[in-house]
């Protein structure tokens, strides 16, 4: 039952992902969550995020920010990034994952989602049939509703890791 929340990959940071390898594997579109995936919750884009998107564009990726935040937050983050974005996305609903692919001109085989939350980011990507990467949150300071979800995520991640070890040993 918990498997529907298991990420395809679980990594320490967005900034440790081998994006060149993803491109070699045929991915052409990347959908990103913003808060605690690219920057701490509520923070503006920083040099590291801006350099990442510059690099992704040079590699050949089309990118889209998919956030449950409102327009002001997402557009201000995107000011120096300049990629597609969808605000108020209602993740884990499928509609805006599909819309992001349509905007980028990609499909399920060529798109990957990267985010820091299981019950919105990863679950929405999985419901859509999209490859996904869960990353550890950048910063521990979060809104109360997210803090509560993190406690449940720990339980799911315990079983995810147990499943990963079992697969490795078989």
């Amino acid at each position: 039952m918990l498997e529907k929340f298991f990420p395809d990959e679980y990594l320490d940071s967005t900034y440790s992902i081998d994006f060149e390898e993803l491109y070699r594997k045929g991915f052409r579109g990347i959908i990103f969550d913003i808060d605690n995936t690219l920057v701490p919750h509520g923070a503006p884009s920083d040099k590291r995020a801006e350099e990442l998107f510059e690099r992704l564009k040079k590699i050949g990726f089309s990118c889209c920010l998919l956030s449950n935040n409102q327009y002001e937050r997402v557009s201000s983050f995107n000011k120096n990034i300049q990629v597609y974005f969808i605000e108020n996305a209602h993740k884990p609903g499928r509609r805006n994952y599909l819309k992001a692919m349509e905007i980028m001109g990609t499909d399920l085989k060529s798109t990957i989602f990267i985010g820091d939350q299981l019950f919105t980011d990863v679950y929405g990507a999985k419901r859509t049939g999209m490859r996904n990467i869960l990353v550890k949150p950048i910063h521990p300071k979060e809104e109360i509703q997210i803090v509560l979800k993190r406690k449940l995520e720990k339980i799911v991640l315990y079983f995810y890791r147990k499943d990963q070890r079992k697969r490795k040993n078989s």
Side-chain angles (χ1 to χ4, degrees), residues 71-167:
Y71 178 83
E72 186 178 303
R73 163 70 180 132
V74 182
S75 64
S76 67
F77 176 84
N78 192 45
K79 184 179 166 202
N80 294 332
I81 303 277
Q82 293 298 301
V83 296
Y84 299 114
F85 70 88
I86 300 170
E87 79 282 353
N88 198 19
H90 300 287
K91 294 181 288 184
R94 298 173 63 238
R95 188 178 100 234
N96 286 311
Y97 289 84
L98 297 168
K99 183 178 176 184
M101 287 187 293
E102 184 181 320
I103 290 168
M104 293 188 298
T106 60
D107 59 25
L108 286 173
K109 287 185 178 184
S110 63
T111 308
I112 192 161
F113 183 90
I114 300 168
D116 70 298
Q117 292 188 52
L118 283 177
F119 301 124
T120 52
D121 299 331
V122 169
Y123 184 51
K126 288 183 79 80
R127 290 181 67 216
T128 308
M130 184 180 296
R131 186 119 177 96
N132 60 82
I133 299 174
L134 176 70
V135 294
K136 293 179 182 171
I138 289 176
H139 194 275
K141 182 181 175 282
E142 296 182 293
E143 295 176 344
I144 187 65
Q145 71 270 19
I146 296 172
V147 171
L148 298 172
K149 281 193 257 180
R150 294 286 186 210
K151 292 181 185 305
L152 295 172
E153 283 184 358
K154 284 182 181 179
I155 296 166
V156 175
L157 288 171
Y158 167 81
F159 287 102
Y160 167 76
R161 288 184 186 105
K162 188 174 176 180
D163 181 71
Q164 294 297 104
R165 284 191 299 275
K166 191 167 83 177
R167 288 174 191 259

Side-chain angles (χ1 to χ4, degrees), residues 17-44:
I17 296 170
D18 185 343
F19 290 103
E20 288 79 7
E21 179 62 20
L22 289 177
Y23 195 85
R24 280 191 293 277
K25 288 181 175 178
F27 291 99
R28 297 298 180 262
I30 305 174
I31 303 172
F32 287 96
D33 175 53
I34 298 172
D35 287 324
N36 260 338
T37 298
L38 294 165
V39 293
H41 189 83

